[in-house]
Amino acid sequence: ILYLAALGAALPCDEGETFFCPKDPMQREDLAAFMVRVLDLPPASTDYFSDDDGLTYEADINALAQAGITKGCNPPVNDRFCPDKTVTRGQTAAFIVRAWKLVEDGGGAGFTDTTTSVFVKDIDRLAYVGITKGCNPPDNDLFCPDRLQTRGEMSSFLARAHRNLDLP
C-alpha cells in the first residue's frame, strides 16, 4: 500500500482521504483507477461503456479499455464495465496478465483449485512471474480464483508487478 502511495496510485476508500481500507472489496472502477496510475496510461479518445457515464473514474475505465486491459463485463456485447462490482482474484489475474502482456506460464502453477477456472492460464502466468504465491499460506496450494479481491490484496499484486516486471 505504501509502495503504491509513493507512486500516487493508492487511492483512498469511501471512509475519507486518509483511509485506505485494505480489507474492503476491490471494485472494478477502483481497480481501473489504480491500474491507470500504476501503468501511467494515456487518456482514452473513446467512451467504451454505457454504464460508467459521469462516474469519478470514467476516464480511467476508458483508458483501461483503450489499452486492451479490460473488455467489459457482459460478453459478447461488452458494452458495460460493471464499475460497482467487486473483482475476483481470477479476474484480477486476467487484468494484470493483459496489462503486462504476460505469456509464459512455466508449465502451470500447480494450484489445486484453478483447473476448472476460466482464468487458469492467467493465474499460472501470475504465479510464474512471482506476482502470487497462493491464498493459503504456508501451503499455498490454492489460489481461490472465485474469492472476492480486497484492496490490500490488489495493492500487493500491483506493487509486485510494478517492482518486478518491466512496464509494458
Side-chain angles (χ1 to χ4, degrees), residues 44-105:
S45 55
T46 302
D47 184 10
Y48 289 88
F49 304 108
S50 62
D51 63 346
D52 64 351
D53 294 342
L55 295 178
T56 301
Y57 298 128
E58 179 181 8
D60 296 316
I61 294 167
N62 288 317
L64 211 63
Q66 184 167 285
I69 298 168
T70 186
K71 299 174 183 178
C73 68
N74 61 326
V77 178
N78 286 324
D79 63 348
R80 293 182 32 235
F81 183 74
C82 301
D84 60 342
K85 298 289 184 197
T86 302
V87 292
T88 65
R89 288 173 54 86
Q91 291 167 337
T92 298
F95 278 112
I96 292 173
V97 163
R98 287 186 210 122
W100 270 270
K101 299 173 177 57
L102 303 177
V103 294
E104 182 60 50
D105 69 5

Side-chain angles (χ1 to χ4, degrees), residues 19 40 72 77 96 121 125:
F19 291 88
D40 195 24
V77 178
I96 292 173
K121 290 185 184 290
R125 289 176 178 129

Side-chain angles (χ1 to χ4, degrees), residues 136-152:
N136 63 325
D139 294 337
N140 287 323
D141 59 346
L142 301 175
F143 180 78
C144 306
D146 299 324
R147 192 177 84 198
L148 298 180
Q149 183 81 44
T150 67
R151 290 170 55 91

